Every structure is written in structure tokens, then in C-alpha cells.
Amino acid sequence: MTSSASLLPSSAAGGRGISSGLAVAALRKIRHERGKALLLAGCVAVLGYFLIYPFSLMLVRGIQDPVTGALTLSVYEAMITDPAFYAAFQSSLIISLGTLAVCVVLAVPMAWGVSRSDMPYRGTIRVLTMLTFATPSFLGAIAWILLLGPGGGELNLFIRWLFDLESSPFNIFGTGGIIFVFSLYLYPYVFFAVCTALDNIDPAMEEAAAMLGASKLRTTFTVTLPLVLPAVLAGGALVFLESTVNFGVPAIVGLPVHVETLTTRIYSLFQFPPQYEMAAATAVPIILIVGLCVLIQRMAIGNRTYVTVGGISGRRDRVRLGRLGWVLSGLSFTVIAASILLPFLALLVTSLKRTFGNPVGFDNLTLQHFKNVLLGSTAQDAILNSLILAAGAATVCMVLAVIAAWLVERTKLPGRGLLTLLVMACFSFPGVALAVALIYAFSNGPLVLYGTMWILLLSYSIHGLPVVFNYARIGLRQVNPELSDAAEILGASWHRAFRDITVPLIKSGIISGGLIVFVLMMREFGSSVLLSGGGTEVVAVIIYEFAEEGDNGRMAALSLIVFVVNLIVVAAAHHLRRAWSDPDNS
């Protein structure tokens, strides 16, 4: 007994010794790499101040009494019992689930046809589907209002003339219209996830089913599609997430007929008289939904028990569809045309019309709308502001992301995991919720940014940082660290090796990510609608104001300019990526 008891203190002391030893080793590591440790601490501090601090204030504001400032749950109680909140939550849920269902129904057959069948023009369909990402969904919503508006929608007018109808057969406004527009621009999330999974699946299991006598169609339904279930879940989670946090489409298609979602409900709470505490409380459910979607997506991607990927892909025989292949191809081209071609033509025709509502003719064509947009002070300032903010956000993201990615991938400092968590947390906060948090944090106090361009730049940079961070991490993982290590052995400092060797080797991914951020921020709407004001208007907000005013000509002209800029930048990103990845390119 005595000898057993005497062992307990020494064991505890041993445990304390191990812990203190680890702590000493960590401190020695930090002292040895003091510059890198300071850089890591600076990155964590910046992200903590501009991300965690605003959201902490927003959460506190949601549990404060509007009059006394005392902590209370009365705001949440009022929110839950508010019929307007319940209706907005219900609408968001119906729209997100409806969009998810439509996207799966459209994207899975298209992806299977492109990857596994002899469907005609499958390569063209894959390429054209990528262009959907270059089309902002809120511009698509505006275009479909021009096509299916109950009054003067061009497609409605054509159908009325063709079938001699007295009233328009379609009305884009409402819950069904929101689901329709969302589905046209979010189905690529599921399409590309399923395409990638189908391209990478080891064909051994399918070959085994064929050897046992199963037909190709039966193999497809019983073997292939179950194997890509995680890809459907991953892409579907992104669809659900985007349709929940998106502000533009519900605002343009839903608000005119008083259909509110959670995001448009927050916007309404900021109108006169403003209810700031209720807006803060309403933003919390959106963040929880986003977190749930991200968790589902990561679980789906990480689940390898459904998908078998071999090191060497065998040759697959494509399923012969015959005439059914032309039907599937026609369906795919119809979806692509509804996403890109018809909206583009609607905006183009409207921007060139002298009088909206009259048929197209030489006597009804004009370039005046483009002239008004390009020479008008409001739109001109908005275009300039958007270009400056998008370029500024892309630059900030490229600088911060490459430093953060290098600290995570190339050092062993404690705290790297926290830095990764903070960077990726930027993705978890939707635009409207982020805008609410930034308004609370920087409307007063030591750093006043609200009402200036700086708060927009901050919001855009937070949104874009994870995009470039992921590109930079991928690039660093493809570069052998021995190259920079050799430079340090020859006497170069770590920061010089980072600047002169590491960064040039991953410049393709960094600039590609920066260009993507530029495209995304040129059309950013959710946070801009709450953060922009007098003198800081951006293109997306001005387009929305034109739509509210019924100024279809200037709205269409400015929308086309944004659309063309997006296409040019996407093409430039693709060209630069190919040029820098070509080993023969000098």
C-alpha cells in the first residue's frame, strides 16, 4: 500500500514535467523564430479585431435591451414571436429546399450525360456551364423580370401574341420566381461536384456489376449514382447555403410582392424607423444555417466510404443513349440558354430600346442609355468606386492570404491552426450579417469607418480572403520547400527567400485567386446595400436603385457593362493561369 501510494505524486510530477517541457520547447521555438512568430501574431490580431470583434458586438447587441442596455433575451423572444420573422424564416426554408431539389434534378442528369454517356456536344456543355459562374445571379433576376414581368415582359408579350392571350401566362415575382432564378445560377455547384466524382471513380466496381450481368443503365442507378452521393451532398450544401444567404435575388424578385427572406428581413429592419437590435438577432439564425451547411459539406467531402478512387483510371465505355442522348443534350442547352443567353439578350435589347414596351425596330433603337450611364455622375462614380474597391480587395487578399498560407504551410509555430480557423471563418458569415456586424463595430469608437469607402473595402477583403488563401495553400503544397531552404542555407534571410523564391513560384495561383476576388467584389450586393451611402455607391446598388425606379434602360445598360467586365476578367484569369502553368512559357 505504501509503495503504491508513493507512486502517485511522482506520476503527477512526471505529467507536470512533460507539460512544462512542452511549454519550454514551444517558447524556445518562438524565440528562435521571433520574426515569424510576430508575423503570425500580427495576422491573428488583425483578423481578430476586424472579424471576431464585430461579430461579438453584434451578438451582444442582440441580447441588450434597446432602452436600458441591460442584458436580456427579450429581443430574441420578440423576434421568435414576430410573425414577420416567422414568415421570412419559412420563405427562406422553402426557397432553399426548393432550389436544392431543382438543382439536383437538373444537374445530376447533365453531369452524368457529360461524364458517362455518348450525349452529343457534352464537351461544349461542360465549358458553357462554367460561364454561368461569370453571370451574377442578381443580374439574372433583373433580366428575367424583363422577360417574364407580368406587365411588359418580352417573353410574356411574345406568348400572348403567339396564342392570342388576354393576360400574361407567367409572373416571375414571388417564391416560385426566386426558386426559378436561383436554380438557373446555382445548379453548377452540383454539376461540377458530380462531374468530378464521376470522372475520378475507379471503374472496377462498375465492371464487376457488368460481369455479373447488369446492364449499363442498371449499373448506373445501382452502383454509379450511389457512389457519387457525397458529391451531391457537398454541392447541395453549397446550393442551400447560397440560396439562404443571397440578398439580391430575393430583394429583386420577392420584395415587390412582399415576400421576405431572412436576408431581406434584415434589410427591412434597417429602414426607417431602424430596429438595430432586432436586425442583430435576425442575423444569428443565418450564421447558424451557414455553419450547418459548411459542416455538412465537409462531412460529405471527407466521407470516403462511398467513393472509390483508384490510382489509375481504367477505360470506361460510355452508355449509348441513342435518341435519348439528343433529348438530354437539348435539356442541357435549354438550361444553359436560360442561364446565360436569354438574360444577355434581354439586357441587350432593353439597353438599346428607346421606349420600353414597344417592339424592337430601327425607329426604337438608341445608345442613349449607355451614354447616360457612362457620362452620368452617379453611375460613373459607382463604376469607379466598384473598380477601386474590387482591385483594392483583390490586392489586400493576395498580400494577406499568401502570408497566412505561408505561415500555415511552411512553419511549425503554435497558433497556426487558429490562423487557419480565422481565415476560413470569413467564409462563414453572409454579406448582410457581416454588414450588420461591421456597422456596430465601426460606427463609433476609436476607429470610425461607417459611411466611408474603407468599410466597404474591409467587407470585400473579409469575403475574398479565403478564396486566395486556398489558392495559395494549394500552390505551396505543390512547391518543394527545399528550394527556399537552400536559399537560407546560402545566407538569405527567411523573408528574402519567401519574397524572391516562394512567391514567384506560386504567383499563378495567387493572381488567379485575386482575379476571382475582383470578379466577385465587382458584383457584391449583400453587404454593399447596407454599407454604401452618399458618395460611396457601388455598381450593384445603383443597378438595384434603377430597378426600383423602373429605369429599365439605364439598369440594363449598366448591367451589361458589369457582365462584360466579369467575362473579360474571367478570360484574363484563365489566360494568365495557362500562361504561367506552361513550362515552355518564357
Side-chain angles (χ1 to χ4, degrees):
M1 290 290 293
T2 305
S3 59
S4 302
S6 63
L7 291 176
L8 295 176
S10 61
S11 299
R16 287 195 300 269
I18 293 173
S19 300
S20 60
L22 292 174
V24 170
L27 290 175
R28 287 177 177 173
K29 184 74 172 177
I30 292 174
R31 281 200 301 267
H32 181 67
E33 300 183 341
R34 183 176 302 173
K36 298 177 184 178
L38 290 175
L39 191 60
L40 176 63
C43 290
V44 171
V46 168
L47 287 172
Y49 182 70
F50 289 111
L51 184 68
I52 303 303
Y53 169 65
F55 275 96
S56 299
L57 284 184
M58 186 187 74
L59 293 175
V60 170
R61 192 67 178 263
I63 58 175
Q64 278 185 325
D65 185 273
V67 179
T68 64
L71 297 182
T72 177
L73 294 177
S74 60
V75 175
Y76 282 95
E77 293 175 359
M79 178 190 73
I80 294 173
T81 57
D82 184 8
F85 168 80
Y86 179 77
F89 183 85
Q90 186 180 44
S91 295
S92 292
L93 189 61
I94 292 172
I95 289 168
S96 297
L97 290 175
T99 302
L100 173 61
V102 175
C103 287
V104 170
V105 169
L106 291 177
V108 173
M110 288 175 61
W112 179 82
V114 166
S115 182
R116 289 305 179 87
S117 78
D118 64 345
M119 179 180 71
Y121 304 108
R122 53 187 179 272
T124 304
I125 290 170
R126 191 192 288 255
V127 172
L128 290 178
T129 302
M130 295 181 63
L131 295 180
T132 306
F133 285 120
T135 307
S137 59
F138 80 92
L139 292 187
I142 290 172
W144 275 103
I145 289 175
L146 298 175
L147 288 167
L148 293 182
E154 299 290 343
L155 198 53
N156 269 331
L157 292 176
F158 174 75
I159 295 174
R160 287 173 61 180
W161 169 82
L162 184 64
F163 295 101
D164 195 22
L165 301 177
E166 294 183 359
S167 60
S168 298
F170 299 106
N171 184 357
I172 192 66
F173 294 105
T175 301
I178 297 173
I179 293 174
F180 173 75
V181 174
F182 269 146
S183 301
L184 291 177
Y185 295 97
L186 299 182
Y187 81 90
Y189 286 119
V190 180
F191 175 85
F192 285 113
V194 175
C195 270
T196 302
L198 288 171
D199 291 341
N200 291 333
I201 286 177
D202 192 322
M205 297 183 70
E206 296 169 309
E207 292 171 357
M211 291 175 63
L212 293 174
S215 66
K216 288 191 177 295
L217 285 179
R218 184 178 179 183
T219 301
T220 297
F221 282 102
T222 60
V223 177
T224 307
L225 293 182
L227 286 174
V228 300
L229 179 60
V232 175
L233 291 175
L238 288 176
V239 169
F240 192 93
L241 184 153
E242 181 62 27
S243 55
T244 300
V245 306
N246 187 286
F247 171 80
V249 174
I252 293 168
V253 181
L255 283 184
V257 291
H258 309 292
V259 174
E260 279 193 331
T261 62
L262 289 175
T263 53
T264 57
R265 176 65 183 155
I266 293 174
Y267 174 74
S268 299
L269 291 171
F270 268 85
Q271 307 309 303
F272 186 83
Q275 302 177 54
Y276 298 121
E277 288 77 14
M278 188 70 79
T282 306
V284 173
I286 301 178
I287 297 173
L288 294 177
I289 292 173
V290 170
L292 180 62
C293 290
V294 172
L295 179 62
I296 292 173
Q297 188 210 25
R298 289 185 177 178
M299 290 175 62
I301 292 175
N303 192 345
R304 299 301 180 193
T305 60
Y306 291 91
V307 179
T308 306
V309 180
I312 301 176
S313 296
R315 186 179 183 275
R316 301 182 180 92
D317 294 328
R318 293 186 175 272
V319 178
R320 297 185 180 276
L321 297 179
R323 293 182 179 179
L324 185 60
W326 289 98
V327 174
L328 187 55
S329 182
L331 170 66
S332 302
F333 277 115
T334 300
V335 174
I336 293 169
S339 304
I340 304 172
L341 181 61
L342 287 179
F344 179 81
L345 291 177
L347 292 173
L348 179 63
V349 170
T350 304
S351 66
L352 295 176
K353 271 189 174 183
R354 187 183 305 275
T355 305
F356 182 71
N358 292 335
V360 179
F362 288 107
D363 58 339
N364 195 29
L365 293 179
T366 181
L367 293 175
Q368 187 63 38
H369 301 309
F370 286 97
K371 182 179 179 181
N372 292 338
V373 165
L374 295 174
L375 299 182
S377 58
T378 302
Q380 197 176 59
D381 291 343
I383 293 173
L384 181 61
N385 289 342
S386 291
L387 289 172
I388 292 173
L389 288 169
T395 303
V396 170
C397 289
M398 286 189 290
V399 173
L400 289 181
V402 71
I403 293 174
W406 180 81
L407 287 169
V408 169
E409 294 293 330
R410 288 290 193 265
T411 71
K412 300 297 183 181
L413 293 171
R416 293 177 297 120
L418 176 60
L419 179 59
T420 303
L421 179 64
L422 288 174
V423 172
M424 298 312 297
C426 298
F427 177 74
S428 301
F429 300 109
V432 173
L434 177 61
V436 172
L438 294 180
I439 288 171
Y440 289 143
F442 302 113
S443 294
N444 48 53
L447 186 60
V448 179
L449 301 178
Y450 184 56
T452 69
M453 295 270 283
W454 292 107
I455 198 167
L456 286 163
L457 178 62
L458 175 59
S459 174
Y460 291 2
S461 299
I462 290 174
H463 272 143
L465 183 60
V467 176
V468 191
F469 178 76
N470 284 327
Y471 271 85
R473 287 190 74 178
I474 292 172
L476 285 168
R477 289 174 180 177
Q478 293 174 340
V479 173
N480 195 325
E482 293 178 357
L483 296 173
S484 56
D485 292 343
E488 294 186 40
I489 292 174
L490 294 174
S493 60
W494 62 264
H495 47 82
R496 182 176 180 182
F498 166 72
R499 182 191 65 204
D500 295 342
I501 295 177
T502 305
V503 172
L505 289 173
I506 62 172
K507 65 179 180 180
S508 173
I510 297 171
I511 296 183
S512 294
L515 289 173
I516 290 174
V517 170
F518 181 90
V519 170
L520 294 175
M521 296 310 117
M522 270 294 295
R523 65 203 203 192
E524 168 59 28
F525 192 18
S527 60
S528 302
V529 72
L530 293 180
L531 297 178
S532 65
T536 62
E537 293 88 354
V538 293
V539 167
V541 175
I542 295 299
I543 291 174
Y544 181 57
E545 291 179 357
F546 286 160
E548 284 190 316
E549 296 168 3
D551 193 344
N552 294 322
R554 287 199 294 174
M555 175 191 69
L558 187 54
S559 299
L560 270 183
I561 292 173
V562 175
F563 186 80
V564 171
V565 169
N566 281 347
L567 287 179
I568 291 174
V569 176
V570 168
H574 179 67
H575 174 74
L576 288 174
R577 190 169 181 82
R578 288 187 62 185
W580 280 322
S581 61
D582 183 2
D584 296 328
N585 185 32
S586 58

